[in-house]
Each structure stands twice: as structure tokens, then as C-alpha cells.
Amino acid sequence: MENTAPQLFKVTIDGVEVEVPPGTTILQAARKIGPEVAPPAMCYYEPLKGSGGKCRACLVKVSAGSAKDPRPMPKLVASCITPIQDGMVVENYTNPQVVDARKSVVEFLLINHPLDCPICDQAGECHLQDFSYEHGVGTTRYEEDRRTFEKEDIGPYIQLHMTRCVLCYRCVYTADQITNKRVHGVMGRGDHAEISTYIGQAIDNDFSGNVIDVCPVGALTDKTYRFKNRVWFSKPVDAHCDCEKCSGKVQLWYRGDEVIRVTARKNEWGEVKEFICNTCRFERKQTSDWTIEGPTKVSRASVISANKYSKNLVKKPDFALKLAESQYKNIDDDRPYLHEMSEIQQSEDYKALMAKDEKYFGHK
Amino acid sequence: MKILTEHINTPGIETFDVYRKKGGYTAVEKVIKKMTPEEVVEEVKKSGVRGRGGAGFPMGMKWSFLAKPEGVPRYLVCNADESEPGTFKDHYLMKNIPHLLIEGMIISSYALGANKSFIYVRGELMYVIHILEKAIEEAKAAGFLGKNILGSGYDLELVVQPGGGAYICGEETALLESLEGKRGNPRNKPPFPAVKGLYQCPTVVNNVESIATTSWIINNGGEAYAAIGIGKSTGTKLISASGHINKPGVYEINLGVSCDEFLNSDEYCGGVRKGHYLKAVVAGGSSVPIVPGHLFLKTANGEDRLMSYESLSDGGFATGTMLGSGGFIVFDETACIVRNTWNFARFYEHESCGQCSPCREGTGWMQKVLNRIEHGKGSMHDIDLLVDISKKIEGNTICPLGDAAAWPVASAIRHFRDEFEWHIKEPIAATKPGAVYMKESVLV
């Protein structure tokens, strides 16, 4: 019988083996293994064709090109656009060169990105925030002036705050691929490049709102939502409606009983699953407009999950303390609990503690 | 040996009639009537000619990589977007002897099976575009272009496309994007242009000078071409010499001529200007590492350095440089390396396309730090910062512009660190007009 199953390629990423079909990129293979190995991505966006390769956040070291040709690749490669080969060995978090390169990418991206997270609507669901928290350093060596722009209204619903833009080109691809006509794009070159509409034109089409969802930072924001709320105070709920323009599958963001924002549903990598239309996004803000499916699953690591659980599911530390206490009693140890030279031993507090419970600190 | 510039001083060589009288278009006749495309590719392979745009990749090999799927058109694109500071050889060639390029284009297109070929000329050179268009008209009238060339059934249309004046469009994939009418951003590779290039069809992108050599190779044979030069650096190369020399200009050299001869003989540069000393040399256009004079004339091992791809890169980046595109810039002791490095950095900041973050942000950052040092406001750790930034850019970008921006800065600090330190320690003296740090041991 003929084997109809597609041939799978074996790749090793950070020592974990995974089998994927040919044509998969390194990043996709790593995502298949799990978030522990997946490289970060600031510009790559799976639903958008042609995206990726720009931010260099996902650089990895290919230490063996393939089983046939096990030579390492000379440079770090962008994992989001490099297809895998059979027998490829990829070093990601395990390679110091990669870790160093990512650190520098964070530094480069933050050169012209303001640290205005406390007033930014994107805070809490910002890819750059996560990226710099996980891969960056706490300080910058940049002393010069940063580029700034005036805020720009592009259309009735969207505001562009170019100062925050990291030029990932996602919104350009979105407008290219899901709307009829793109009226905005990148103007200028180098560090003076900017996203803008041509001669102050407004972005006016039924799917323009999706550029807000794809923006990894707070450069493109929803004018109906701006400054109304912090994302961790709101509760996401999956809902749907019969929409003739789009799938109608959305996330409603509640604060109390009020729908304060409607967005498309995103997968665990922060990518939109199905794009939604502007009517759903900006105009249907009543619960009665929607059929509620239930609360959205939010990763516990996300700040959005804060204050969302009525029961405390995490085992409190006192459990551990009790355990330690019971264990400690079993140990018959005459050694001093603290070093004799320690200053704590000389303090009044320590002496009081000693007097209180000699049993635990069994020495004189 | 003069291959490209043999007839360049003949009056009227830019016209078809004079060019034809001097033996022009005989190679086209030979190719179309007597040779198959495979034979042409083989001949070019034999010649060992390397891409003259800077990377030095063997041209015959590049041609043989071209994918040839059925029913898909193939394209040849000539990269005439020469904008590297210090390089002006293609401009010189196209302006003076446009038919040499046209002839080369016909031969190369025939070899690759392309029926439509493009010459992408830098937008600033509008008058050269007019010269080329006139030359194409003349060639068409003579039956060397258009439908059914010389009755062979082979068609070729040649299009001259002005660029918009961006340095980045000299990068081959950015050039193709620009040619398609899009923003000139380099593409992610793979796929390479040989597989998916212009309009997603297999494409070869070659430099003007590389294409112009093909007519001589066809007329005289690949082996004759390979006999010129030294080792893997075969043939001749146009070098555009500028800076503090007695005779700036474009020179055609046999690869393998010694650097000393090229710099000091009266046939070429004629030596450093009178009363001055050689301080530093940029051997191949602004993006190659700058080297002090003594390392340009002799390698680190004490051997004579030759003008060839291998010899110039001898010693790696620690003591060597690259032949690049042949933009030969000489600095005497009156040149300030810090100021020059800042100037180059300003260029790369301005010309970075802004697509990938290390290059977009890094070039601007380096420029600002260099600006500070040059104007007496730097501090000692800025030097290490510059080295670190250049390392972080190098190799981490989509296209080689990031490397090109990082190398001059890294090499200037490597060889002239004391000059940077002087700018920081003595800001008042260093910022006086015309003030230059003097260290006689560097001068030759």
C-alpha cells in the first residue's frame, strides 16, 4: 500500500525534538513544542502573508543545517522566515549569542519607543512589553534625543501615535490583504520612517479597525476606548453575532456590566484568529447585541488574568511553612541556626525570638 | 591591459557608428549566429569574472544558478544604481561608452534566455539615462535589439528604468522591489532572485561593469580573460580613485597590480599630493573597512599587498580590507578620521531603509554618538559603545547595508582609536576648524 501520509521532517530546537511537515518555519516548529522554546516575534504575524523578518527578535542559531549537510549557518537567522530542513538543529534560548542578539534588539527597539506604559492603552497586552521584560535589560545606553511625533487621527475610529511605532509593517500587510484599498503605508527611510496616510487621508473602510488588533504596541489605538480603562480591570468574554460582513466571532471586554471594548479573538501567540468588521468592533457595544459564549480563557501568566478569579487556586505559602515546620522538628541538629558572627544574633529582636521559642533555635 | 576603456577616448564612441567601426557588436553577431546560450554561460564561467558590484561572486556561477522552469519568463537586470560614496566607475562607463553596456546586455540576456531586460539606473543620473536610451534606439535601428535579432528569431527588449535616488535600491532585492513599482525594501532571502526575482520570476542581477566585460570575453575567449589577473581575481577592474592624490579618476587595472604601484605610479593615481603623507585608505567604497597606509601597502606578514580580491582581504578584518566596488579613497595627514567616520555614518543613517530594527535604530545611534565625539562632547565609554553597537548590527540584518554601516565604524576605531580618544580628551583643540590629530608613526 502506498504511504499517503506526508513525510515529516525532524528538527531539534533547544534539545527538544519535533516532527513537522516540510515548509514549516523554525518559529512554527518551536511554537509547536511550546511557549518555553518559541522565539519572540514582534513583526511576524501568521495570518498575514509576507510578514516577518523585520524586527530580528526571533533570531536563532542554526548549529546544523540539515542531516545531509550538517554545517552550521554562518549568521543568526530569522526563525520566522527560515524553513526547516530534515535533521536541522536549532539553538534558541540555549545559545548565548542568540540571547545577546535579542538583548540588543530590545535595546534597539526601545531607542525610539517611549516608556509611557503607565498611560498607554496597550499596556498589559503589549508585545514589546513582554519582549523587553523577558529578553531585555533594565537600562539603556542611549543618551540622545528620541524621535517624537504629533498624534494623528486617521479616520473616525483610529488614532495613530507614531512615537510608539516599532515599524513592524503588520498594519500595512493587514490593509493590503483584508481591505480593498490601502491608504496608509510607510513613508521616509531609516529611523525617520513613519507610518502615515498619504496627505492626511482618513482610513475609511469596513475592516480598518483590525489594524488596532495587529499592532504589537500602542501606536494604533481605538478612539472609542482610549484612556477609558486598563486592560487588567476588564473581563474578556467570548461572544458572537450574525454579521453579514464578518464571522461575528469576537471578544467583549466588560467592566462591570458595560461592554467597553470589542476585539477579535486572539490565539495564545497574540494573533487574531478571524478578522472582524468595524460595525462589530465599534458599534455593537450592548450586551443585547451579542450571544455570550462564556469567559475567555486567559493565560495565568498574563496580567489580564489578575483579579479575575474568585477562588484562590494557588496554594498559599503557609502550607509550605507548615510542611517545613513539621520537617524541622524531626531534625536533631545542634548546629547554630545562624552564624555566630552574624549581626542578627546580636540584635534585640533576635534575642527576643530566641527567648520565645527555644525549641526551634536549639542553642544557647 | 585595457578591456573596457580601450576606446573610451575615441571621439564619438558614444554613437553607434563609431562604436561599430571599432569592433563593436561583433560579439553579439558571434553569439547569436554561432553559439548556444549554454556555450556563452560556459565561456563566462571559464573567464572566472567576478561580480564587480562589490560582493565579488563569480558571475558564471551566478548565471548557472538561474532556475529555468518551463513557461516562466526569465529576466536580466543590470544594476546601475551606483551610489556608494567613492565609487563612480559605472557612471563613467555608461556616460562615455554606452554601447558597451548595451552589447553586454544583449549577450547576457541571450545566455540567460531573457526576452526582456532592464537597466536600473540611479535617478540622479538622468542625463546618462538619456544617453542610454539614445544608444538603445540606435542599436534597435541597426537590428541588434527588438524582434528577431539578426534574423535569429531571438527577441530582446531593453528597458532603462530610473531609480528614485535611494542607496538601498542598489541591493539586488530592493532593486527588484523598486523595479516592480514598490517601496525599495530588501526582501527576505531565501528565496533568492535566481529562483524568485522580478515579478516572482527567475532573475539575474548583475553590475554594469560585469555585464560590460562579456563582449570582450566572447570575442577573445574566457581563457584569455582568465589569463589576466592573479589567482581567482581574473581580468581587469575599474577603480574610481579619489581623495588626496595627484590624479583622481577612473582607472582600469589588471587585478594583481601592487597597491604601491597603483597608488604611486604616474600611470594611475600619481601618488599622494605633494608635501603630504599617506594616512589611510578606503580601498573599495565607503562600506569596506578603512586601513592605515602601512597596512594598505603591506600585509600584516610584511608581504606586498596587491589590488586583488584575495590580497586586499588578507588578514581578515583585523588588518585587511576588501576590494568591494573599487571606490578607492585616499586620506593624507590633513584628514580627520573621526569626522570622516561620522560622515559615513551619517550617510548610512540617511540611507537605511528602516525595515529591520538593528539597522534602522543602530545606524542612527552610531551617527549620534559619532557626532557627539566629533564635536567634543564624547566620553571614553562612547568608543566601546560604538564598537558594541557595530557588533550588534553586523550580521543581524536582512541585507548587507547593516554590515556596510558597521564595518567603517568598527575599523576606524580598530586602527585609529587614539584619534577618537584625542577628540574626547582634548575637546577644545579637537573641535577647532581644521584640527587634526597627528601621530607620525601612522603616516607613510
Side-chain angles (χ1 to χ4, degrees):
Chain A
M1 211 178 99
E2 207 183 339
N3 189 6
T4 49
Q7 191 208 347
L8 293 180
F9 280 179
K10 209 175 265 179
V11 213
T12 314
I13 302 169
D14 277 354
V16 186
E17 239 180 46
V18 66
E19 283 192 338
V20 286
T24 316
T25 58
I26 298 174
L27 185 99
Q28 286 299 337
R31 282 184 175 184
K32 207 178 163 196
I33 297 173
E36 300 80 20
V37 226
M42 291 296 298
C43 68
Y44 175 76
Y45 209 68
E46 203 193 344
L48 300 174
K49 220 179 129 211
S51 66
K54 293 179 170 54
C55 67
R56 317 310 278 180
C58 66
L59 288 174
V60 291
K61 174 85 188 164
V62 177
S63 48
S66 66
K68 279 182 210 154
D69 180 13
R71 285 177 304 173
M73 289 191 186
K75 288 179 185 175
L76 300 182
V77 296
S79 60
C80 61
I81 48 163
T82 310
I84 48 109
Q85 305 287 335
D86 197 18
M88 195 183 245
V89 180
V90 178
E91 289 173 18
N92 182 20
Y93 290 93
T94 49
N95 188 311
Q97 199 192 344
V98 173
V99 173
D100 205 38
R102 291 212 182 125
K103 215 180 270 177
S104 65
V105 172
V106 173
E107 194 173 20
F108 284 135
L109 285 176
L110 289 180
I111 280 180
N112 280 320
H113 186 89
L115 299 183
D116 61 350
C117 305
I119 56 146
C120 176
D121 283 311
Q122 191 83 2
E125 48 182 10
C126 173
H127 290 209
L128 185 58
Q129 231 177 7
D130 295 346
F131 179 43
S132 61
Y133 180 72
E134 284 162 22
H135 300 274
V137 286
T139 55
T140 178
R141 296 174 291 173
Y142 187 77
E143 298 169 17
E144 276 73 28
D145 288 347
R146 289 152 202 270
R147 55 164 204 181
T148 49
F149 295 86
E150 291 289 313
K151 285 173 200 156
E152 205 179 318
D153 279 338
I154 44 174
Y157 297 122
I158 308 164
Q159 192 171 58
L160 168 65
H161 196 170
M162 189 53 215
T163 313
R164 292 178 187 150
C165 179
V166 292
L167 286 162
C168 68
Y169 284 66
R170 278 182 188 176
C171 58
V172 180
Y173 285 112
T174 309
D176 256 345
Q177 292 171 22
I178 68 167
T179 68
N180 291 333
K181 203 176 154 200
R182 172 161 70 87
V183 292
H184 79 285
V186 180
M187 320 228 163
R189 286 196 296 256
D191 58 0
H192 33 272
E194 58 171 306
I195 297 276
S196 185
T197 54
Y198 190 58
I199 332 181
Q201 240 180 321
I203 296 182
D204 185 22
N205 60 59
D206 280 342
F207 285 82
S208 64
N210 288 300
V211 297
I212 300 165
D213 277 348
V214 301
C215 186
V217 291
L220 290 160
T221 45
D222 183 344
K223 267 162 69 180
T224 64
Y225 174 71
R226 257 176 95 78
F227 301 136
K228 281 198 177 154
N229 186 43
R230 308 302 324 215
V231 66
W232 52 88
F233 292 143
S234 52
K235 202 157 80 181
V237 170
D238 282 353
H240 67 263
C241 75
D242 282 333
C243 178
E244 65 262 16
K245 287 185 202 154
C246 66
S247 67
K249 289 179 185 168
V250 299
Q251 249 176 43
L252 305 180
W253 295 77
Y254 276 98
R255 182 164 183 176
D257 294 333
E258 192 192 352
V259 178
I260 49 166
R261 179 167 76 144
V262 183
T263 65
R265 291 183 199 173
K266 291 185 176 181
N267 65 9
E268 59 175 319
W269 312 108
E271 289 166 352
V272 169
K273 289 179 191 163
E274 279 167 287
F275 292 106
I276 60 167
C277 67
N278 282 4
T279 319
C280 286
R281 184 185 300 271
F282 298 117
E283 283 159 24
R284 298 195 172 129
K285 292 207 173 174
Q286 300 295 326
T287 309
S288 56
D289 295 335
W290 300 96
T291 316
I292 306 288
E293 291 172 17
T296 309
K297 274 183 188 162
V298 181
S299 155
R300 283 212 51 92
S302 166
V303 69
I304 301 171
S305 72
N307 313 321
K308 300 292 185 301
Y309 295 88
S310 52
K311 273 185 186 169
N312 237 326
L313 300 177
V314 178
K315 281 170 183 161
K316 279 265 170 75
D318 54 285
F319 169 77
L321 277 180
K322 269 179 195 158
L323 189 76
E325 194 181 339
S326 64
Q327 296 285 313
Y328 193 81
K329 278 175 190 166
N330 298 335
I331 302 169
D332 182 26
D333 191 352
D334 275 349
R335 280 180 302 170
Y337 185 67
L338 291 169
H339 193 274
E340 282 174 10
M341 296 303 288
S342 169
E343 281 182 17
I344 299 172
Q345 290 202 14
Q346 316 305 323
S347 73
E348 292 300 317
D349 289 352
Y350 177 72
K351 281 170 191 161
L353 197 68
M354 292 274 284
K356 198 177 163 192
D357 202 346
E358 267 183 27
K359 194 169 64 182
Y360 282 7
F361 305 95
H363 70 287
K364 286 273 153 21
Chain B
M1 180 111 189
K2 298 265 188 283
I3 287 178
L4 300 168
T5 56
E6 193 185 350
H7 302 299
I8 209 147
N9 292 324
T10 312
I13 193 73
E14 71 278 4
T15 61
F16 180 82
D17 296 335
V18 178
Y19 182 73
R20 185 88 173 107
K21 257 179 223 156
K22 290 283 173 191
Y25 288 100
T26 48
V28 173
E29 284 173 329
K30 186 178 173 187
V31 158
I32 298 229
K33 288 182 179 158
K34 292 180 193 155
M35 291 170 88
T36 64
E38 290 74 31
E39 282 169 351
V40 182
V41 174
E42 208 45 49
E43 207 60 48
V44 171
K45 255 190 185 174
K46 261 189 239 163
S47 74
V49 58
R50 293 170 68 165
R52 303 298 195 217
F57 191 80
M59 185 159 129
M61 211 188 285
K62 194 175 195 175
W63 284 10
S64 62
F65 286 157
L66 184 72
K68 291 178 178 164
E70 280 295 308
V72 179
R74 299 187 282 274
Y75 294 108
L76 170 71
V77 179
C78 172
N79 184 348
D81 191 62
E82 177 186 56
S83 359
E84 177 113 343
T87 309
F88 42 88
K89 64 187 176 66
D90 297 344
H91 176 189
Y92 175 78
L93 205 62
M94 289 188 292
K95 173 182 85 172
N96 288 314
I97 182 160
H99 282 286
L100 194 65
L101 176 62
I102 311 285
E103 190 179 1
M105 285 298 282
I106 301 169
I107 297 164
S108 312
S109 304
Y110 177 76
L112 299 167
N115 295 108
K116 191 168 186 180
S117 298
F118 298 87
I119 306 176
Y120 185 93
V121 186
R122 181 180 179 193
E124 284 92 333
L125 306 181
M126 213 56 213
Y127 80 103
V128 173
I129 292 166
H130 296 318
I131 292 174
L132 283 172
E133 275 173 347
K134 190 163 162 267
I136 289 172
E137 283 308 312
E138 286 172 341
K140 214 174 227 172
F144 286 102
L145 269 176
K147 294 254 177 250
N148 196 11
I149 296 170
L150 303 175
S152 64
Y154 173 64
D155 306 336
L156 175 64
E157 194 189 339
L158 210 52
V159 180
V160 183
Q161 173 66 41
Y167 173 68
I168 190 62
C169 290
E171 200 273 345
E172 58 177 4
T173 53
L175 189 154
L176 297 177
E177 286 278 299
S178 171
L179 204 52
E180 287 179 12
K182 298 176 191 158
R183 183 185 157 82
N185 277 357
R187 293 178 187 165
N188 289 319
K189 283 156 272 181
F192 288 94
V195 182
K196 277 185 179 179
L198 188 63
Y199 307 115
Q200 299 294 305
C201 298
T203 306
V204 165
V205 184
N206 277 136
N207 180 257
V208 172
E209 197 189 337
S210 323
I211 289 176
T213 54
T214 51
S215 65
W216 195 92
I217 292 170
I218 294 302
N219 278 331
N220 299 276
E223 273 128 22
Y225 191 84
I228 313 164
I230 182 166
K232 281 184 181 171
S233 305
T234 58
T236 64
K237 170 102 186 76
L238 293 179
I239 304 282
S240 24
S242 61
H244 297 136
I245 45 176
N246 285 323
K247 288 168 62 193
V250 178
Y251 297 102
E252 184 166 11
I253 58 159
N254 290 359
L255 285 169
V257 138
S258 84
C259 290
D260 186 38
E261 188 191 337
F262 181 69
L263 179 63
N264 291 321
S265 82
D266 283 337
E267 194 187 341
Y268 303 119
C269 300
V272 179
R273 61 181 176 156
K274 209 179 167 197
H276 292 277
Y277 302 93
L278 175 65
K279 181 177 184 183
V281 174
V282 171
S286 66
S287 56
V288 309
I290 188 170
V291 284
H294 62 93
L295 280 176
F296 171 69
L297 296 171
K298 301 254 184 213
T299 63
N301 305 329
E303 293 161 18
D304 279 348
R305 214 185 267 282
L306 311 175
M307 294 292 282
S308 73
Y309 289 96
E310 289 79 22
S311 180
L312 276 174
S313 54
D314 183 89
F317 279 1
T319 55
T321 175
M322 285 157 80
L323 183 57
S325 57
F328 187 79
I329 313 172
V330 178
F331 300 95
D332 69 13
E333 84 287 349
T334 61
C336 172
I337 298 295
V338 178
R339 192 172 186 81
N340 173 63
T341 311
W342 173 51
N343 196 25
F344 283 168
R346 244 179 0 164
F347 174 79
Y348 288 110
E349 185 205 9
H350 188 255
E351 296 296 343
S352 164
C353 79
Q355 194 181 192
C356 56
S357 27
C359 176
R360 178 183 66 233
E361 309 293 354
T363 49
W365 191 4
M366 285 201 299
Q367 185 272 118
K368 283 169 190 159
V369 175
L370 279 164
N371 182 2
R372 213 165 55 204
I373 296 176
E374 161 66 20
H375 292 100
K377 288 172 186 150
S379 57
M380 276 310 191
H381 67 252
D382 281 343
I383 300 177
D384 294 324
L385 177 65
L386 278 174
V387 175
D388 195 53
I389 301 171
S390 71
K391 268 190 203 149
K392 298 277 167 67
I393 300 174
E394 190 187 336
N396 289 346
T397 53
I398 296 176
C399 79
L401 192 137
D403 301 344
W407 290 340
V409 176
S411 61
I413 295 175
R414 192 182 306 126
H415 297 300
F416 299 96
R417 196 183 181 102
D418 44 358
E419 193 158 336
F420 283 83
E421 285 174 359
W422 178 70
H423 271 257
I424 292 160
K425 282 184 203 152
E426 310 277 347
I428 297 168
T431 47
K432 274 183 191 156
V436 176
Y437 176 71
M438 288 286 182
K439 187 181 170 195
E440 275 164 20
S441 65
V442 184
L443 305 178
V444 178

